[in-house]
């Protein structure tokens, strides 16, 4: 209950900041420890985001990010993400609605680049993809 009350007072920019921090940490953890099946799952989820229509895209997008965090194996990050999934889904839906087509395509390519970076063990590409993704989202938040 306290968590829900806190979230109701949270600014969208704070949600984005938390999600970015979690994903940077998750990616850093996975870079040398991701199992082939985890990478394949993330790759399929990234493809799914790219193929979904506007109505189904937010849930697919959220699932990609949830799995990235889950696969890192940090139980508190996974629990937090799971507990806040309804807030995140609302946040993702609103964020995607605000993006123009070019920005949407760039954020979608970020998912693909995150997976490629995991495959290639390329920390710089992965971090840049996560940063770019959340910079675009942050820059489109309501004032």
């Amino acid at each position: 209950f306290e968590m829900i009350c806190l979230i109701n007072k949270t600014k969208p920019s704070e949600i984005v900041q938390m999600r970015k921090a979690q994903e940077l940490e998750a990616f850093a953890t996975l870079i040398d420890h991701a199992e082939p099946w985890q990478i394949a799952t993330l790759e399929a989820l990234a493809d799914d985001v790219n193929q979904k229509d506007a109505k189904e895209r937010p849930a697919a997008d959220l699932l990609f990010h949830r799995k990235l965090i889950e696969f890192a194996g940090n139980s508190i990050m996974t629990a937090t993400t799971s507990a806040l999934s309804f807030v995140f889904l609302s946040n993702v839906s609103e964020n995607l609605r605000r993006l123009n087509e070019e920005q949407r395509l760039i954020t979608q390519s970020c998912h693909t680049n995150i997976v490629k970076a995991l495959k290639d063990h390329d920390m710089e590409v992965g971090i840049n993809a996560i940063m770019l993704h959340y910079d675009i989202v942050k820059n489109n938040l309501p004032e």
Side-chain angles (χ1 to χ4, degrees):
F1 177 75
E2 290 175 16
M3 181 68 85
I4 292 170
C5 291
L6 174 65
I7 291 304
N8 286 334
K9 297 175 186 175
T10 302
K11 297 181 234 170
S13 61
E14 293 172 327
I15 293 171
V16 169
Q17 184 179 27
M18 185 182 92
R19 290 182 66 211
K20 179 171 74 173
Q22 284 184 321
E23 288 186 31
L24 288 168
E25 181 61 32
F27 180 84
T29 299
L30 285 171
I31 192 77
D32 291 323
H33 298 86
E35 298 290 333
W37 68 268
Q38 292 172 320
I39 294 171
T41 299
L42 289 169
E43 188 169 42
L45 291 171
D47 290 343
D48 200 36
V49 172
N50 295 340
Q51 295 169 6
K52 293 293 185 188
D53 63 22
K55 184 178 177 184
E56 295 178 330
R57 194 172 297 120
D61 185 282
L62 182 60
L63 184 56
F64 174 88
H65 295 280
R66 283 181 66 184
K67 286 296 181 183
L68 180 67
I69 290 168
E70 178 185 317
F71 290 161
N74 181 309
S75 61
I76 191 71
M77 285 182 7
T78 300
T80 302
T81 300
S82 181
L84 300 176
S85 62
F86 69 98
V87 174
F88 287 171
L89 182 57
S90 173
N91 185 259
V92 169
S93 297
E94 179 63 19
N95 292 343
L96 287 174
R97 189 183 64 72
R98 292 177 171 279
L99 300 181
N100 65 38
E101 185 64 14
E102 179 183 4
Q103 292 168 326
R104 186 183 64 76
L105 292 172
I106 292 170
T107 59
Q108 286 178 207
S109 72
C110 289
H111 300 119
T112 303
N113 290 338
I114 291 166
V115 175
K116 183 176 180 344
L118 285 173
K119 281 182 179 178
D120 297 343
H121 303 278
D122 192 330
M123 183 71 80
E124 184 177 351
V125 168
I127 287 174
N128 287 340
I130 293 167
M131 296 294 288
L132 176 59
H133 184 283
Y134 284 105
D135 285 348
I136 291 171
V137 169
K138 185 176 127 194
N139 290 334
N140 281 280
L141 292 174
E143 295 293 324

